[in-house]
Amino acid sequence: VDVTVTVSEERPEGDPTASAAVLGTASGAEGTVRIAGEQPVAGRWVAVWFTSLAPDGRWHRAAVAEARVLAP
């Protein structure tokens, strides 16, 4: 699973990376994944965007069980 996390002041429409700051990415992610930005970012909206899904039989799937947004 590949995932990108973005932060923006405006609600994401379509591709969330087009108008938002990319906080971080993970490629080939599985299990517990921590994505932390190199620099602090501020915004109202956080988007978790799966750019590639894992095959699961006939389907491709990804899931988020928990997400935490932490302030410094």
Side-chain angles (χ1 to χ4, degrees):
V1 173
D2 297 342
V3 63
T4 299
V5 177
T6 63
V7 178
S8 65
E9 287 296 328
E10 301 295 323
R11 179 179 175 181
E13 301 282 338
D15 177 354
T17 63
S19 62
V22 175
L23 178 66
T25 62
S27 182
E30 58 182 71
T32 300
V33 177
R34 179 183 171 145
I35 297 177
E38 293 181 21
Q39 300 290 327
V41 295
R44 179 176 177 201
W45 296 88
V46 176
V48 178
W49 188 32
F50 294 101
T51 57
S52 174
L53 301 175
D56 182 16
R58 295 183 338 159
W59 310 102
H60 288 76
R61 298 176 190 244
V64 175
E66 178 180 350
R68 293 189 289 168
V69 178
L70 305 174

